[in-house]
Amino acid sequence: MFFANRDINRLAIHATLVSLAWSMAGIFFTVYLLRAGLPPAQIFLATAAILAARFALRPLVIFVTSKIGLRYTLILGTFLSAIPFPAIVLVHGVGLALMLFCVITSLSQVFYWTCYHVYFSSLGDIEHRGKQIGVRQALGTLAGVIGPAAGGIMLTSVGPWFAFSAAFAIQITAIFPLLRVREPKIAQLSPHGAFADAKIGIRLFFADGWIQSGSATAWIIIMFQALGARYDNFGGVLALAALGGAFGGMVLGRFMDMGHARRSVWLNAGILAAGLVFKVACGGHPFAVISITVATTLFSGLYLPYWMTAVYNAAKTAPCTFRFHFASEGGWDAGGVLASLAAAAVCAAKLPIEVVIMLALPMVVVQALLLDASYKASGRGAIASPVHT
């Protein structure tokens, strides 16, 4: 395996299967809704509704976890995350099927992501955190090469039922590595300062939610339309792009573990900002879209380790890792809701969809400033968090 830490190895296998299912089918959710007749403004509103419901349903995680434990809650979240794959096939415009898809997606993500982040924070090793995230990212990128190509071919040749059912089966398979992962300890009662200590996590997740929810969805729409609105073309470009980013996360993860976290903050911020500017300037031309997609994905492995290393390390030393991520994920929902509503307003006003991408630029700077201050305070490339006894 990759590390002496067997729990991290099993989590990496689990995450790879989840990434494969998502890249095979979930990455097509936006363009499937576009083909189903939803204009971009309604797609952004649906995204906002999913994230707002996630925020509202989040207290269920604490209740369920207290009853069945974190591992079984993560297994439940993994199972629920499989249901949206076949459910989206029933969507043919705005209606009951779309509402059910949004509710199921919200519920599954509430249970899955909070529990997964708690697991990785609790069972990972601070001194190898960047490398561990990098390996996980590299395996996810490998899945990102296979998945879109396979999904695009299946959607084009045999139709959505087969493609989304295959992703459903892979997602269910991702449950099995979790059966042997040990249970992290969670305080039954909230320790003093458990939520207050999550401020840095909330802010960083808010920034990422804002950056990802609006700009990433807008770019997917631009890509799909530029590539002739064909699933196979879209999936092929994503697979090609993923090849370029296969090892970026591993390289930066080691770079951060050697104490270069603050350098990586501004390196990544510059690359991320440049990528957003190029996306805005591409004009929707197919060759430019393909080139920019490949170029930006080449450096996509930089992004996740550069900010999640800080979050995971802060969570591990927080009074309660579970409540840290509970609060932080709420920050992501809030950022995503606001960005999606802003994007819907831009589209409703008949402004170019590229404006949505530009909305992410100021938040890139905010995110970099937050991380730089946090890494500076820690003095070792990980966010400093007070040790509570």
Side-chain angles (χ1 to χ4, degrees), residues 6-285:
R6 294 184 178 181
D7 289 317
I8 288 296
N9 293 336
R10 293 182 181 115
L11 284 175
I13 294 171
H14 160 82
T16 303
L17 291 170
V18 170
S19 296
L20 180 60
W22 175 258
S23 60
M24 182 181 291
I27 196 68
F28 292 93
F29 280 173
T30 296
V31 297
Y32 186 87
L33 292 176
L34 201 64
R35 287 277 294 265
L38 273 71
Q42 291 181 350
I43 292 175
F44 283 117
L45 287 175
T47 301
I50 289 171
L51 296 177
R54 263 177 43 161
F55 189 88
L57 294 171
R58 194 164 296 282
L60 283 175
V61 181
I62 292 180
F63 175 78
V64 173
T65 303
S66 67
K67 299 297 181 182
I68 65 175
L70 187 65
R71 182 173 62 173
Y72 285 114
T73 306
L74 179 58
I75 290 172
L76 173 63
T78 305
F79 172 77
L80 291 174
S81 296
I83 299 176
F85 293 128
I88 197 171
V89 185
L90 303 175
V91 177
H92 301 288
V94 177
L96 180 61
L98 177 62
M99 184 180 71
L100 290 175
F101 168 76
C102 291
V103 171
I104 293 170
T105 301
S106 299
L107 191 62
S108 63
Q109 291 181 1
V110 161
F111 282 106
Y112 181 78
W113 285 112
T114 301
C115 295
Y116 177 78
H117 287 314
V118 172
Y119 251 104
F120 204 89
S121 297
S122 300
L123 303 182
D125 307 300
I126 287 180
E127 64 274 17
H128 301 301
R129 184 77 71 185
K131 191 186 305 181
Q132 289 172 351
I133 295 175
V135 169
R136 185 187 69 180
Q137 185 78 347
L139 290 172
T141 305
L142 179 62
V145 174
I146 299 171
I153 292 171
M154 287 190 290
L155 281 167
T156 302
S157 59
V158 294
W161 275 113
F162 187 91
F164 288 117
S165 295
F168 173 88
I170 293 171
Q171 180 75 20
I172 294 299
T173 304
I175 292 173
F176 291 98
L178 300 176
L179 298 177
R180 297 182 61 191
V181 177
R182 60 189 168 94
E183 180 91 14
K185 294 181 180 180
I186 298 177
Q188 292 300 312
L189 298 177
S190 179
H192 177 70
F195 290 110
D197 207 51
K199 286 181 181 178
I200 184 62
I202 293 170
R203 290 168 182 166
L204 286 172
F205 269 84
F206 180 94
D208 184 63
W210 178 279
I211 292 169
Q212 298 297 327
S213 295
S215 64
T217 302
W219 181 243
I220 285 173
I221 293 172
I222 292 170
M223 279 183 60
F224 190 64
Q225 292 174 338
L227 296 172
R230 287 183 58 92
Y231 293 125
D232 49 357
N233 291 345
F234 179 74
V237 170
L238 290 179
L240 176 64
L243 282 171
F247 299 106
M250 293 179 67
V251 172
L252 188 73
R254 293 190 178 95
F255 186 66
M256 296 178 75
D257 286 337
M258 290 187 294
H260 303 302
R262 290 188 66 199
R263 296 179 188 174
S264 70
V265 165
W266 294 106
L267 171 64
N268 183 82
I271 292 172
L272 184 58
L276 293 173
V277 171
F278 283 127
K279 288 176 180 179
V280 170
C282 76
H285 300 294

Side-chain angles (χ1 to χ4, degrees), residues 313-363:
N313 288 350
K316 187 170 180 112
T317 56
C320 177
T321 301
F322 176 76
R323 289 169 176 83
F324 180 99
H325 280 295
F326 175 89
S328 298
E329 283 284 324
W332 204 100
D333 294 342
V337 168
L338 291 177
S340 298
L341 290 176
V346 167
C347 294
K350 308 297 183 183
L351 295 172
I353 196 170
E354 287 83 1
V355 174
V356 175
I357 297 177
M358 289 299 295
L359 293 176
L361 269 176
M363 195 58 71

